[in-house]
Amino acid sequence: MASHVVNVTWPTRDNSIEMLEIDSKSVAEKEEHVLSTTDLLSAEMLKSPPAPPSEGGAGGSAGELRSIPEAAAAAAPPPPLDPRAVAFWGHVSDNAERYCAATCSAYVFTVVLVFALTLALGPSFFPFTSEVPLYLRGHVTRERMDALVVAKERANLVLNLPAVELRNSVPSLGGGRESLTLEIIYVAKAGSVLETKNVEAILRFEDKIRQKAGFADRCLKTYTDAEFAVQEAKDWDGVDAINNQPHECAVANTIFWACDPAYGYPCESLSSRPIGILDCPKRNATCSRGDMLVDHAFKDAKAQLYSESIPNLRTHDGLNAYNFLVLTDSEFGSGNPVARAIRTEFVFGVPFRGFSNINDDAEGQSIELRDWLYETYNEWLLDDQLDTDEVEYYFYGHENFYLAINEILARDALFAIAAMFFVLFYMAFMKASFFLAAMGVGQIMLSFGPSYLIYYAVFQQRFFGVFNVMSVFIILGIGADDIFVFLDTWEQAGSQHDDLGSRMAFTWAHAGKAMLITSLTTIFSLLSNAASSFPAIRTFGLFAALLVLVNYCAVVIHFPVVVLVYQRHFAGAPFLCGCVRKLRKVARRGFKIDPVSRSDFKATKEVSVDGTALYEFEEPREPVSSRWFRASFASFIIGANVGIVVAFAALLVFLGVSCNDLRADKKQVQFLPRGNNYQAFRDKKPRYFLRGGSIDSAQVDFVWGIDPDQPIDREGTSDTDTENLGSPVWDASFSLPEASRCVLAICQAAQEADGARKTGGFQAYPIASPVVAFHDFVNETRGRAAWDEMTGLGANHSLFREVFLDWAADPDVQTKQRDFVYGYLDADGDAAVRFIVAELKLTLSMQEVEAGEAIKVWEAWEAWFQLQYLTSPCLEVRQYARGFQSSFEWAYVRDVLVKEAFDGIMLSVGLAFIVLFLATQNLLLSFYATATISFIVICTIGSTVLMGWDLGILESVGFVMVPGLSVDFVAHLADSYVESRRVDRIGRVQDMLARTGISIISGAFSTLGATMFLFFPQIVFFRKFGIMIFMTIGYSLLWSLFFFSAIVSTPLGPEGDVGDWLVLARKCKAKLFAKKPEPSVEEASHVWK
């Protein structure tokens, strides 16, 4: 490079002026004298003469050099600062330490208050729960379902009667005993699970389960109701209080058992009970577990016998075959004796040692049983205990599952802490200050205190769930973005204002407005969640919106005094021994971040001495990052604007087409990754066990005895309280003797095969009904005439009671009907039936059917059920037999979730347009910004489809948040565009990028980095939530910086007053109310003629 001499005056550190004759090689020699931001000065640029203005407009083309007078002429003068604001912030600056201490104390006080109230009041003040209340509390399906749940609890509670009245009780007595299950699925890797070596290995494994400490005490016991009364007098010791014999554990629901000869059937018979494929050498005595044999020929013959039988629940053989089939995979049967999978269910219950009966500290017994089951078996079973490689097993228990979820949640919470520290160190690096970073992140996290107090005290919310916890990642991103905007504006203001009062007044006015726009759009988007029908989503939206609001208040009230304290005491202090400054120098030189115009510097004089150009410069007009965005990046955007718009349009079309493949998720909610035992169980059970008796089949419940018009009273309850559901409303006119004929007719008709109602017929899908079983008993023992006499209008109540209690005295009946008959004490003190339930499995799988199809089935059932009361025998006894069918609540949940997701997106985008329009007052700019937000939403949804996601509960929640998360960056750019003092679009784009570009980059990287920690938790919702936020922020960064900047730099972008609604309003007003000119004499005469 040829040496070119130019005389420049520089401000030194002691504020004196020094003239220096330099060339392009001498800049480095002055590095010790100039201010820190002048070390990148390019002498080659200084020697360039001013360029004439472009003919295309005042702004000129990208990269074009303009003289200082021309640059000043291209922009309107900055608006003057409010002297009151300057005086106010000057006062705050002088007392910054006191104000900072006051605001910090206020935040700390609210957090300490929340912590103290949590310790003092416990869950009543901070009721955190891992349950997700995604239900429609007011929908008829939920009303009926909750009424049935609560009715079972209430009816069982009043049936713990004194000993003298036990004989008169109904068979549901004791049905309220707390019982927990441990279910195990065995799957053969090849062949059949029933091969002899597999059976022997499974038996050894199940023996280990029974031998665990505490099993004999906590397994469900086979005792009679009468024993409870005698047992109340002493602590439970596992011994029959009447016969003084140790109680046996109830037989597990398993095929790995042998028959009990005490039932009177040979083991080779289909009628043998309990069901099983093991042989028992005893023929006249009870066969204990140690006596059972694995006989290859007997086992195969027994399996063949069960596989060829047709279930008929009216016979013992049919009942046994049915019970066997529901424990084997769906392909076993119809002559196929090969079982790919089987399942075993162990049942545990109360009371146990140390407690008198089931009501002795019932809650304590329940908790102890739950904890024992989890601590004894969870870790032990996770370590493969099966001594064969031919079979794999998966285990599950409802309480175990939620305890495991809570344990995993506690571990996954550590990733939130890691994300917080990432934002802390990232902010410290970017701003070269641990003080600013620590105060900023502390301010963000302390926002939870006042937010929760408002949430609890003002909005009276008593629920805090997993979704609410996820808001920490949202506020980390939004809060960091606000802080970067504020600090970047503060740095830019430093070149224009010398005193701290003026500088802070400028920063507060400009940054405050920009943050208000983004905060309002995000708040409105989150509040669209607050309008959800689902408590979990509604409370999340409300709490997250409060967090954003409190954070905004903090960043405009608390953070300014933090910055003033920093400027007074810590500014200029070395950060990490100057390492960061050296890294920045390397990065700047690597990216060749040099000034491209003299207008980047604030010149005070331009004179000529002896023909030599002499310039006098002060501090550079903008930080280095702003100069790079104004010059290099803006040049690229403006030069390639059409190509950028076309490229993003192609991306939009591609991902938009992918959105057409979005389908509602028909599977159950996935909480854990595929490799997790509990998730594998939840996946494999519906895969292998979708027979008519499977719990994964859709089910219809028929209920009589609860008011069908208003089944439950919700007064005094909250829809966020998953424990207090309300009180059942009993049907005072219900009478089982009169209603029995009607109930029997409905139950028998319900089993008939029907495609619309998805019933499979009596043989494969029988109904479980106490009235059907009681009717069969009466016919077998008393005859048809007795049934006719004791049921229907004019029923013989005393005969009905006698026969009913005779039937209920059978222990086998009590075991099978305990979940279907519920009683109470009548006015005379006698036990009576309060309500009854019948259950029918359908051919419909809850995991494979779409919500719309399931809703049609529900409507078919509702119409069918009402139709039964229009004909005999229900027509005559309608007042005594009012009932309802309860089913398919989950279908309506799925349907409403999908609808609310898209309604929420549209509402969020619409509200974003309103906020942007009010802030920018430019219709065209608001339209471009809103369109950009819509495109971000489309790209995010399209990407999830390409990743194989369906629209389930988790996705529906996440999609509603996308508009709120995607609005920040484009809103910052739109605000900077209208705030530019230039009138041409090119100049505005340069100002927009110079002012906001680095803030967007910093905010995006902080959010992306924090969100990456959500890729590692085990909870699938956290992972999906993290991926969704990551994609949203990534697309927001690309669409805002590239597409939005490009489209407003094309001739389609507004410049001057184009799009200004005030200008448009004045023009419209002028046209509407303009006075028409008076016609001339010639025109008037012409019209007259």
Side-chain angles (χ1 to χ4, degrees), residues 20 82 86 123 149 236 298 300 352 418 449 475 532 754 947 1026 1057:
L20 177 68
D82 187 345
V86 174
V149 170
W236 180 261
F298 179 87
D300 289 348
F352 39 81
I475 199 59
S532 173
D754 185 350
M947 294 170 61
D1057 57 9

Side-chain angles (χ1 to χ4, degrees), residues 51-62 64-67 69-76 981-988 990 1055:
S54 169
E55 296 179 1
S61 61
E64 186 177 73
L65 303 182
R66 291 177 292 180
S67 65
E70 292 168 23
R981 299 193 303 272
R982 303 178 188 272
V983 295
D984 63 301
R985 66 175 65 91
I986 300 301
R988 286 183 174 182
Q990 291 174 332
E1055 63 178 352

Side-chain angles (χ1 to χ4, degrees), residues 5 54 84 162 195 205 236 269 284 293 323 359 363 371 472 584 593 655 760 778 920 943 970 1052 1084:
V5 178
S54 169
R84 292 173 298 178
E195 293 180 10
F205 169 67
W236 180 261
S269 169
N284 298 312
L293 301 175
N323 291 338
N359 292 322
E363 184 177 358
D371 293 344
V472 65
R584 286 180 174 178
I593 306 176
L655 293 176
V778 173
T920 63
S943 297
V970 69
L1052 298 175

Side-chain angles (χ1 to χ4, degrees), residues 545-865:
L546 289 173
L547 267 179
V548 177
L549 176 62
V550 171
N551 175 77
Y552 173 76
C553 294
V555 83
V556 297
I557 296 174
H558 169 67
F559 199 68
V561 297
V562 171
V563 173
L564 290 172
V565 170
Y566 166 79
Q567 197 67 30
R568 287 166 60 90
H569 297 283
F570 304 106
F575 179 69
L576 296 180
C577 302
C579 296
V580 175
R581 184 169 179 268
K582 292 178 181 179
L583 289 174
R584 286 180 174 178
K585 283 186 179 181
V586 173
R588 290 168 183 170
R589 290 168 181 168
F591 282 102
K592 298 180 180 179
I593 306 176
D594 291 321
V596 297
S597 170
R598 291 186 313 226
S599 62
D600 288 326
F601 291 82
K602 189 175 179 181
T604 56
K605 290 183 181 179
E606 182 178 353
V607 296
S608 176
V609 179
D610 299 330
T612 303
L614 179 64
Y615 298 93
E616 186 175 303
F617 286 85
E618 293 181 358
E619 179 75 12
R621 183 183 299 273
E622 294 175 322
V624 174
S625 57
S626 298
R627 283 182 279 151
W628 182 81
F629 271 102
R630 180 184 297 281
S632 303
F633 189 76
S635 297
F636 166 73
I637 292 293
I638 297 168
N641 52 15
V642 176
I644 292 172
V645 171
V646 171
F648 274 83
L651 175 66
L652 178 67
V653 171
F654 172 72
L655 293 176
V657 171
S658 300
C659 291
N660 291 328
D661 296 327
L662 184 65
R663 297 290 182 269
D665 193 356
K666 297 180 289 186
K667 304 181 184 66
Q668 59 186 338
V669 178
Q670 181 183 347
F671 289 99
L672 299 167
R674 295 297 179 192
N676 182 274
N677 162 77
Y678 291 100
Q679 189 60 46
F681 182 97
R682 292 162 67 93
D683 291 338
K684 290 186 181 296
K685 186 167 184 179
R687 174 183 174 185
Y688 287 108
F689 300 96
L690 273 180
R691 204 184 295 274
S694 171
I695 63 170
D696 295 292
S697 298
Q699 174 178 302
V700 176
D701 294 328
F702 303 98
V703 183
W704 292 271
I706 300 176
D707 192 337
D709 299 325
Q710 185 188 354
I712 191 168
D713 181 7
R714 302 284 197 186
E715 184 177 357
T717 67
S718 169
D719 63 356
T720 57
D721 189 347
T722 58
E723 299 295 330
N724 184 11
L725 303 179
S727 301
V729 179
W730 307 117
D731 185 357
S733 63
F734 172 70
S735 175
L736 185 57
E738 281 81 6
S740 290
R741 288 189 194 178
C742 172
V743 173
L744 177 66
I746 291 177
C747 290
Q748 290 177 339
Q751 300 175 106
E752 298 175 1
D754 185 350
R757 293 183 288 115
K758 302 298 179 183
T759 53
F762 167 76
Q763 298 294 345
Y765 293 81
I767 194 169
S769 165
V771 173
V772 172
F774 179 55
H775 170 262
D776 293 342
F777 172 81
V778 173
N779 280 348
E780 291 176 6
T781 59
R782 302 293 183 103
R784 175 64 183 270
W787 175 260
D788 292 341
E789 179 184 353
M790 55 194 279
T791 60
L793 286 177
N796 187 333
H797 281 241
S798 58
L799 177 61
F800 185 95
R801 181 182 183 81
E802 177 187 344
V803 178
F804 187 84
L805 290 176
D806 219 22
W807 169 71
D810 185 349
D812 194 40
V813 171
Q814 294 183 14
T815 300
K816 291 183 173 61
Q817 303 299 332
R818 62 189 302 169
D819 294 327
F820 302 103
V821 182
Y822 298 84
Y824 74 108
L825 288 178
D826 62 19
D828 298 326
D830 294 326
V833 174
R834 171 67 80 184
F835 72 99
I836 60 173
V837 182
E839 295 177 356
L840 178 63
K841 299 289 185 181
L842 306 182
T843 60
L844 205 64
S845 167
M846 293 186 293
Q847 315 304 332
E848 302 298 331
V849 65
E850 293 185 357
E853 181 183 354
I855 290 173
K856 291 180 180 178
V857 177
W858 183 87
E859 292 172 346
W861 270 110
E862 188 72 1
W864 178 89
F865 192 83

Side-chain angles (χ1 to χ4, degrees), residues 7 174 338 342 539 801 840 941 972 1057 1085:
N7 292 318
V338 176
I342 54 96
T539 53
R801 181 182 183 81
L840 178 63
I941 295 176
H972 283 315
D1057 57 9
S1085 61

Side-chain angles (χ1 to χ4, degrees), residues 988-1006:
R988 286 183 174 182
V989 169
Q990 291 174 332
D991 285 353
M992 173 184 75
L993 293 172
R995 176 181 172 183
T996 312
I998 188 60
S999 301
I1000 290 176
I1001 293 290
S1002 300
F1005 282 2
S1006 64

Side-chain angles (χ1 to χ4, degrees), residues 136 534 664 851-852 855 889-901:
L136 300 169
F534 302 97
I855 290 173
E889 187 264 350
W890 50 270
Y892 283 94
V893 167
R894 292 180 187 175
D895 184 61
V896 175
L897 267 174
V898 173
K899 291 178 180 178
E900 284 194 356

